[in-house]
Amino acid sequence: MEADRVGGAGDDRGDRTGATGVTTRAATRATARQALFVGGSWAEPDGGHYAVIDPATEETAGWAPEASRDQVLAACAAAREAFGPWSRTSPEERAAVLGRAARIIAGRIGEYAELARAETGATTATARAMQVGVAAARFRRYARVEPAEWAIQPQINEAGPMGRAGVMGALAVRQPVGVVTCVTSYNNPWANPAGKIAPALAMGNTVVVKPAPQDPLSVYRMAEALEAAGVPPGVVNVVSGSRTEVGEAAVESPDVDMVSFTGSTAVGQRIAEVCGRGMKRQLMELGGKGAAVVFDDADLGSAVAGIGTTFSFYSGQICTAPTRVLAQRGVYDRLVEQLAAYASRLKVGDPRERDTVVGPVISAAHRDRVESYVELGRKEGAVVVAGGERPDLPKGFYVPPTLLADCTNDMRVAREEIFGPVVVVIPFDDEEEGVELANDTDYGLIDYVWSGDVARAFRVARRLRAGGVGVNTVGRNMEAPFGGFKKSGVGRDVGSYALHAYSEVQAIVWPG
């Protein structure tokens, strides 16, 4: 994931003088200036406000609060104070709050999706279904109560220094970790925070959410929904800002027990260093450079449609995208030709228009970064067979679907995460070479295999060093564990695995 520092990369345009009177939700909406959510209250930010820019129009979509370090630490302290009472509520009580939040979010999907579109540049359909819709589904999922303890097979112990001989019973219990700082990504300001907040609350934790500076307004709407759903004061806190100190304080606070981060590998490494000093638990979902291994006997229509999601889904700003295509030589030319044709058919433009498929990337700076990689690919010897030139549009941070062919795995465009609608294609000869190339990367989040030989596809999948592998699909099972090998992250979440991630295992032993 793209981010420049612990606090994230922000746009410093806009007023920082500190707007007055932003203390309630009604006032926030009337002035379009957001307040912080700390300890159950809406508070004026010490650092004033900064502009959130609509990537499609380059106009101001709203004003986000700039928290001070003291306000972030106050949010962490509020979460610590609320942890004891919240952790002692029953799973059923916590589930009821999450269920009400899911219904509120689902009931306001149109309003929330329009905000998400304005902040992120996502198409309206994507904002409704994959951002707000998925967020509601995640709250609904964790409103389902699951067992938090399980019996362990009794064991007969011999007499020893720790006690007398006899049968020992044991119980394993999942306990909440404590206060969790959730640092979320800019590519999906609804589904990503919901995937952290909902399982953390379900397990009895309290949270401090630090949203990405580019699009924090949606996360405040989520906080409003949780407040309306009855979450007690201090259980959920939201603090935003474009300055480094905001993210740093949310990670460093002695009141924080765990950090859940989605973002770039470089920022994740710095957060891990801070967590290491405090022995804080971590859940890291970092960068990716997903390999799509396409064999000669693959269904090319299915492969092209799957790989083509890199061009359209969040405009390629997604760490799970199959951005590095490894094509067996017998199918290489046809695959390149069909991918180029697919890319050229996708409409790039205003995400509010129903037929738009590819919207803008998040910012001018990120557009420039993606374009610099395309130019680098040319210099490295890649052939641009689709895209490569900035669209002729009057406003917006647009990058066209771009296909780079004749690449080699040692090129930077094949090794580094571009995080845009750019796909590179590399030829290979046989299965052994395909596996070797796929694994020759610093990343290992999700890889893909396309083959008409299902036995071979599963054989290859088991050899890939990635946290997930899609066989003839880019679809996901939302109960399957999600996370990465190598520099793509630490830990697993999604489904019941998220409940494991936001808990500690405690053993209780007694004489039988």
PDB file of all heavy atoms in Angstrom, residues 89-103:
ATOM      1  N   THR A  89     -18.454  -6.698  29.156  1.00  0.00           N
ATOM      2  CA  THR A  89     -19.791  -6.917  28.623  1.00  0.00           C
ATOM      3  C   THR A  89     -19.851  -8.300  27.981  1.00  0.00           C
ATOM      4  O   THR A  89     -18.830  -8.869  27.595  1.00  0.00           O
ATOM      5  CB  THR A  89     -20.158  -5.853  27.574  1.00  0.00           C
ATOM      6  OG1 THR A  89     -19.221  -5.907  26.509  1.00  0.00           O
ATOM      7  CG2 THR A  89     -20.181  -4.461  28.179  1.00  0.00           C
ATOM      8  N   SER A  90     -21.025  -8.827  27.825  1.00  0.00           N
ATOM      9  CA  SER A  90     -21.156 -10.162  27.232  1.00  0.00           C
ATOM     10  C   SER A  90     -20.971 -10.094  25.719  1.00  0.00           C
ATOM     11  O   SER A  90     -21.209  -9.052  25.094  1.00  0.00           O
ATOM     12  CB  SER A  90     -22.539 -10.733  27.534  1.00  0.00           C
ATOM     13  OG  SER A  90     -23.539 -10.021  26.806  1.00  0.00           O
ATOM     14  N   PRO A  91     -20.533 -11.177  25.109  1.00  0.00           N
ATOM     15  CA  PRO A  91     -20.429 -11.204  23.644  1.00  0.00           C
ATOM     16  C   PRO A  91     -21.751 -10.848  22.966  1.00  0.00           C
ATOM     17  O   PRO A  91     -21.758 -10.222  21.909  1.00  0.00           O
ATOM     18  CB  PRO A  91     -20.022 -12.653  23.352  1.00  0.00           C
ATOM     19  CG  PRO A  91     -19.319 -13.106  24.588  1.00  0.00           C
ATOM     20  CD  PRO A  91     -20.033 -12.425  25.717  1.00  0.00           C
ATOM     21  N   GLU A  92     -22.860 -11.230  23.581  1.00  0.00           N
ATOM     22  CA  GLU A  92     -24.171 -10.925  23.010  1.00  0.00           C
ATOM     23  C   GLU A  92     -24.439  -9.418  23.003  1.00  0.00           C
ATOM     24  O   GLU A  92     -25.017  -8.889  22.032  1.00  0.00           O
ATOM     25  CB  GLU A  92     -25.270 -11.655  23.791  1.00  0.00           C
ATOM     26  CG  GLU A  92     -25.295 -13.164  23.589  1.00  0.00           C
ATOM     27  CD  GLU A  92     -24.193 -13.886  24.369  1.00  0.00           C
ATOM     28  OE1 GLU A  92     -23.568 -13.256  25.259  1.00  0.00           O
ATOM     29  OE2 GLU A  92     -23.955 -15.077  24.094  1.00  0.00           O
ATOM     30  N   GLU A  93     -24.034  -8.725  24.067  1.00  0.00           N
ATOM     31  CA  GLU A  93     -24.221  -7.273  24.116  1.00  0.00           C
ATOM     32  C   GLU A  93     -23.383  -6.593  23.040  1.00  0.00           C
ATOM     33  O   GLU A  93     -23.855  -5.674  22.359  1.00  0.00           O
ATOM     34  CB  GLU A  93     -23.829  -6.739  25.497  1.00  0.00           C
ATOM     35  CG  GLU A  93     -24.759  -7.132  26.630  1.00  0.00           C
ATOM     36  CD  GLU A  93     -24.233  -6.616  27.961  1.00  0.00           C
ATOM     37  OE1 GLU A  93     -24.537  -5.456  28.302  1.00  0.00           O
ATOM     38  OE2 GLU A  93     -23.510  -7.365  28.657  1.00  0.00           O
ATOM     39  N   ARG A  94     -22.148  -7.028  22.900  1.00  0.00           N
ATOM     40  CA  ARG A  94     -21.281  -6.421  21.879  1.00  0.00           C
ATOM     41  C   ARG A  94     -21.814  -6.721  20.484  1.00  0.00           C
ATOM     42  O   ARG A  94     -21.797  -5.856  19.601  1.00  0.00           O
ATOM     43  CB  ARG A  94     -19.847  -6.928  22.049  1.00  0.00           C
ATOM     44  CG  ARG A  94     -19.247  -6.597  23.408  1.00  0.00           C
ATOM     45  CD  ARG A  94     -17.764  -6.793  23.437  1.00  0.00           C
ATOM     46  NE  ARG A  94     -17.332  -8.168  23.340  1.00  0.00           N
ATOM     47  CZ  ARG A  94     -17.072  -8.966  24.356  1.00  0.00           C
ATOM     48  NH1 ARG A  94     -17.228  -8.516  25.602  1.00  0.00           N
ATOM     49  NH2 ARG A  94     -16.651 -10.210  24.170  1.00  0.00           N
ATOM     50  N   ALA A  95     -22.297  -7.936  20.288  1.00  0.00           N
ATOM     51  CA  ALA A  95     -22.847  -8.306  18.981  1.00  0.00           C
ATOM     52  C   ALA A  95     -24.067  -7.450  18.637  1.00  0.00           C
ATOM     53  O   ALA A  95     -24.265  -7.075  17.471  1.00  0.00           O
ATOM     54  CB  ALA A  95     -23.211  -9.787  18.972  1.00  0.00           C
ATOM     55  N   ALA A  96     -24.872  -7.133  19.626  1.00  0.00           N
ATOM     56  CA  ALA A  96     -26.063  -6.325  19.373  1.00  0.00           C
ATOM     57  C   ALA A  96     -25.680  -4.934  18.868  1.00  0.00           C
ATOM     58  O   ALA A  96     -26.318  -4.388  17.952  1.00  0.00           O
ATOM     59  CB  ALA A  96     -26.897  -6.212  20.648  1.00  0.00           C
ATOM     60  N   VAL A  97     -24.630  -4.340  19.441  1.00  0.00           N
ATOM     61  CA  VAL A  97     -24.162  -3.027  18.988  1.00  0.00           C
ATOM     62  C   VAL A  97     -23.679  -3.111  17.541  1.00  0.00           C
ATOM     63  O   VAL A  97     -24.021  -2.266  16.699  1.00  0.00           O
ATOM     64  CB  VAL A  97     -23.035  -2.503  19.899  1.00  0.00           C
ATOM     65  CG1 VAL A  97     -22.402  -1.246  19.304  1.00  0.00           C
ATOM     66  CG2 VAL A  97     -23.560  -2.215  21.298  1.00  0.00           C
ATOM     67  N   LEU A  98     -22.900  -4.144  17.227  1.00  0.00           N
ATOM     68  CA  LEU A  98     -22.383  -4.294  15.866  1.00  0.00           C
ATOM     69  C   LEU A  98     -23.513  -4.522  14.874  1.00  0.00           C
ATOM     70  O   LEU A  98     -23.478  -4.011  13.750  1.00  0.00           O
ATOM     71  CB  LEU A  98     -21.388  -5.457  15.817  1.00  0.00           C
ATOM     72  CG  LEU A  98     -20.118  -5.285  16.664  1.00  0.00           C
ATOM     73  CD1 LEU A  98     -19.258  -6.526  16.584  1.00  0.00           C
ATOM     74  CD2 LEU A  98     -19.331  -4.067  16.235  1.00  0.00           C
ATOM     75  N   GLY A  99     -24.508  -5.295  15.266  1.00  0.00           N
ATOM     76  CA  GLY A  99     -25.646  -5.534  14.389  1.00  0.00           C
ATOM     77  C   GLY A  99     -26.412  -4.255  14.089  1.00  0.00           C
ATOM     78  O   GLY A  99     -26.833  -4.014  12.948  1.00  0.00           O
ATOM     79  N   ARG A 100     -26.595  -3.415  15.117  1.00  0.00           N
ATOM     80  CA  ARG A 100     -27.289  -2.143  14.888  1.00  0.00           C
ATOM     81  C   ARG A 100     -26.464  -1.237  13.975  1.00  0.00           C
ATOM     82  O   ARG A 100     -27.012  -0.555  13.104  1.00  0.00           O
ATOM     83  CB  ARG A 100     -27.569  -1.455  16.225  1.00  0.00           C
ATOM     84  CG  ARG A 100     -28.660  -2.140  17.046  1.00  0.00           C
ATOM     85  CD  ARG A 100     -29.129  -1.256  18.184  1.00  0.00           C
ATOM     86  NE  ARG A 100     -28.095  -1.034  19.198  1.00  0.00           N
ATOM     87  CZ  ARG A 100     -27.897  -1.810  20.262  1.00  0.00           C
ATOM     88  NH1 ARG A 100     -28.667  -2.884  20.445  1.00  0.00           N
ATOM     89  NH2 ARG A 100     -26.966  -1.526  21.142  1.00  0.00           N
ATOM     90  N   ALA A 101     -25.152  -1.238  14.162  1.00  0.00           N
ATOM     91  CA  ALA A 101     -24.287  -0.436  13.288  1.00  0.00           C
ATOM     92  C   ALA A 101     -24.392  -0.905  11.841  1.00  0.00           C
ATOM     93  O   ALA A 101     -24.439  -0.083  10.916  1.00  0.00           O
ATOM     94  CB  ALA A 101     -22.835  -0.522  13.760  1.00  0.00           C
ATOM     95  N   ALA A 102     -24.437  -2.216  11.630  1.00  0.00           N
ATOM     96  CA  ALA A 102     -24.567  -2.753  10.270  1.00  0.00           C
ATOM     97  C   ALA A 102     -25.854  -2.263   9.619  1.00  0.00           C
ATOM     98  O   ALA A 102     -25.858  -1.876   8.438  1.00  0.00           O
ATOM     99  CB  ALA A 102     -24.537  -4.282  10.307  1.00  0.00           C
ATOM    100  N   ARG A 103     -26.940  -2.252  10.375  1.00  0.00           N
ATOM    101  CA  ARG A 103     -28.231  -1.817   9.818  1.00  0.00           C
ATOM    102  C   ARG A 103     -28.219  -0.324   9.499  1.00  0.00           C
ATOM    103  O   ARG A 103     -28.776   0.113   8.480  1.00  0.00           O
ATOM    104  CB  ARG A 103     -29.362  -2.166  10.780  1.00  0.00           C
ATOM    105  CG  ARG A 103     -29.613  -3.673  10.888  1.00  0.00           C
ATOM    106  CD  ARG A 103     -30.883  -3.962  11.645  1.00  0.00           C
ATOM    107  NE  ARG A 103     -30.793  -3.624  13.050  1.00  0.00           N
ATOM    108  CZ  ARG A 103     -30.301  -4.422  13.999  1.00  0.00           C
ATOM    109  NH1 ARG A 103     -29.840  -5.625  13.671  1.00  0.00           N
ATOM    110  NH2 ARG A 103     -30.282  -4.043  15.269  1.00  0.00           N
TER     111      ARG A 103
END
